[in-house]
Each structure stands twice: as C-alpha cells, then as structure tokens.
Amino acid sequence: MKLKFTKMHGAGNDFVVFNGCDQDINLTTAQFRFIADRRFGIGADQILIVEKTEKAGIDFRYRIFNADGGEVEQCGNGARAFARYVTDFKMTSHNPIRVETKAGIIELFIENNGTVTVNMGKPEFAHARIPFDANGLKGTPTGDDTVWPLFLDNESVSQEIDISVVSMGNPHAVQVVRNIDEAPVASQGPLIENHKRFPNRVNAGFMEIENRHSIRLRVFERGAGETLACGTGACAAAVAGIRRGLLDSPVTVKARGGILEIAWNGYGHDVMMTGPAVIVFNGEIDL
Ligand SMILES: N[C@H](CCC[C@H](N)C(=O)O)C(=O)O
C-alpha cells in the first residue's frame, strides 16, 4: 500500500501527517511504530491523520498516534501543524479553523507572521479526569495548586518528587527543577510516565522558572520519550506555575526546539498557545 505523507514539525516536535480525506488510512500499531522509527521508518514523535468530519460547522478532525503506536487525546504542536497543513494545501480557506479532536473541538488561528495560535480549551484539575490516583497521598497546598509527592524507585532511582497534575485533554505531571540542563529527564521520565498512580500513563514535565513570565521546559512525553517541544506540556507547565504563584500570564516557554507563548487568565478561562508550524517535505511510503 503506497501512502503519501507530509513531514512537519512544531518547535522541533516532529510529525508524519497523512491525508485521510483522499486515501484510506488503516494502520496497525506495528505500522505506526515502523513509520515513527527514526532508522527503519520515516521518523516522528507523533503521527497525525487528517480526516473529514460530518459535525456541523466543522470540516475536519485529526487523530494523533504516539511513536509507540498508541492513540491519544490531544497534541498542541500537532494542532498547529494541522492548521498549517490544511491551509497550505488549500483544503480550507477558513481562519480561524475549528477542528474535532479526541479531546473535543478546538479553534486555530493562522497569524500574519506565520505562527499559529490555538485555543487549547480549559485545563482540567479533577483527579478522576486526569486520571491521577492520589489515594493515600498527602498533598501540600501551594498557592492555588496542591503539589503531590510521587515516589520513584527502581534499581538506580529512589526518590520522592513533588508534582502538579493537570490535563489539557491529555495527562501531565509537572515538577519545578533548579537547572533544566541537569534535570534527570532520562532517569525520572520513564518512571513518571509509567507510574501506577497514572492509570493512562502521563507526560512528565520539568520546568525551570526564569522569571515570572518565562520558563525553560523539557518534557518526557507519554509514548514518545523526550521531545524537543511539547505543546500541551507547555500549557500544563504554564498553568501549574501560575496556580503555584510562580508565574504570571503570558508565559514564554523555552523548549529545546523552539519557543511557545502561553496565555491563561485563570480558572474558567481557555489556555491560548502560539508557536511555529513548519512543513519540511512531502513523501511517499510503501507499507
Ligand atoms: N505524548 C502526548 C501526545 C503528544 C503531545 C505533544 N507532542 C504536544 O505537542 O502536545 C500524550 O501521550 O499525551
């Protein structure tokens, strides 16, 4: 089966995008993993499939699959890539663009300077909806947030960290670190991602506070490992920092692959994220 694809990235978080409107995309978990493989396949953190939808006033939906082949609810950088894709390939002339995702309908704005602004909706803090199992844990009120102790242990790690938990449609556990370059992303990331207190696993954020309007962020993503940027992770970190009284909106999030701007005016308000979305090349793969 020959499939046309487009390679894209948003601040270095990279995607393989398939147009499911003009070709039938039915892939197995093994095929998703092959496509995402950086040596044997094309290479990507996530795979996006753009499809038509019948919902009133909505033309498209996109589905997101992590490099491990699992389908997930939301992808902030992927949302921007979707907007760039349907605009540049003249699949729509709308701006803003409303699109259906597993996490719900979101709205995307193509800015004059080529960046894309996404209304990511409202953050979710209810543990049952993250989901996060705090049973038996004693949380510490921190500003408007509560941080939770998470005990990490394996043959090489045995330590307790304090996390904020928040969902942007997908689950995030965010901790503050003193120095992002020395953060134990590789050692702690997998332990947090697969921690038993996150029944659906979790994206693990490590943020260094630069000042009240700027952070440096690294994210060990669920199903993909450390990525150069994580859009929902940037939203989650900014929201957690604002709730903890460490940050004020807007927040500049400096990821290793680029910069994302996050704005959130507090409870009841949507999170707005602005950042780049780039088409790298088009190709065809024989699966
Ligand atoms: N790994 C994430 C999905 C991709 C999110 C990230 N690439 C973004 O830009 O938000 C998860 O399993 O929830």
Side-chain angles (χ1 to χ4, degrees):
M1 155 178 64
K2 285 191 186 306
L3 290 179
K4 298 190 296 299
F5 69 85
T6 298
K7 187 71 174 42
M8 300 186 71
H9 76 85
N13 180 196
D14 66 333
F15 310 105
V16 168
V17 184
F18 289 112
N19 183 342
C21 304
D22 65 5
Q23 52 186 352
D24 207 17
I25 312 281
N26 281 305
L27 299 172
T28 63
T29 300
Q31 287 174 319
F32 280 122
R33 289 180 176 176
F34 167 72
I35 290 162
D37 189 292
R38 297 193 184 283
R39 288 176 177 76
F40 294 99
I42 303 167
D45 296 321
Q46 279 88 31
I47 294 154
L48 271 66
I49 300 177
V50 177
E51 298 174 330
K52 284 284 192 194
T53 178
E54 295 70 47
K55 277 198 187 308
I58 311 269
D59 296 328
F60 302 103
R61 70 173 187 162
Y62 63 73
R63 300 174 67 193
I64 309 136
F65 297 82
N66 279 324
D68 70 358
E71 184 168 8
V72 290
E73 311 88 342
Q74 194 52 277
C75 178
N77 291 321
R80 299 196 318 275
F82 161 79
R84 166 72 52 230
Y85 183 86
V86 293
T87 300
D88 285 21
F89 288 115
K90 305 207 182 321
M91 297 167 70
T92 183
S93 56
H94 293 163
N95 190 18
I97 306 163
R98 285 160 51 79
V99 63
E100 182 188 4
T101 74
K102 211 162 181 254
I105 291 168
I106 59 173
E107 195 167 54
L108 312 141
F109 307 78
I110 304 271
E111 306 288 3
N112 293 333
N113 65 1
T115 61
V116 182
T117 295
V118 189
N119 180 332
M120 294 297 294
K122 294 175 180 54
E124 176 63 63
F125 306 112
H127 288 175
R129 296 171 64 82
I130 289 179
F132 172 59
D133 172 14
N135 190 25
L137 292 183
K138 185 176 182 320
T140 305
T142 309
D144 293 338
D145 194 5
T146 297
V147 295
W148 297 91
L150 201 66
F151 186 64
L152 309 176
D153 66 318
N154 68 0
E155 57 284 344
S156 57
V157 175
S158 176
Q159 69 184 110
E160 190 169 86
I161 60 171
D162 282 335
I163 56 167
S164 292
V165 292
V166 54
S167 171
M168 290 305 304
N170 60 344
H172 290 269
V174 186
Q175 63 177 299
V176 176
V177 295
R178 254 195 316 282
N179 180 320
I180 199 74
D181 297 317
E182 294 164 10
V185 176
S187 57
Q188 288 188 4
L191 298 179
I192 301 167
E193 176 196 8
N194 298 293
H195 201 282
K196 64 181 185 306
R197 291 194 177 274
F198 291 97
N200 294 347
R201 299 187 296 157
V202 71
N203 299 282
F206 301 74
M207 76 165 150
E208 175 188 329
I209 309 281
E210 286 193 316
N211 60 56
R212 294 194 64 84
H213 287 284
S214 177
I215 63 172
R216 295 176 69 202
L217 179 71
R218 293 171 67 182
V219 181
F220 189 94
E221 287 198 29
R222 177 178 63 171
E226 181 172 7
T227 57
L228 292 182
C230 177
T232 52
C235 296
V239 165
I242 291 166
R243 292 181 84 208
R244 291 173 67 159
L246 303 171
L247 298 173
D248 299 308
S249 180
V251 178
T252 297
V253 179
K254 298 174 181 174
R256 291 188 146 182
I259 291 176
L260 302 177
E261 299 291 344
I262 309 295
W264 182 55
N265 294 324
Y267 298 96
H269 292 273
D270 294 338
V271 182
M272 304 301 287
M273 168 187 60
T274 300
V278 177
I279 292 175
V280 182
F281 68 89
N282 295 309
E284 189 174 82
I285 186 166
D286 205 352
L287 286 173

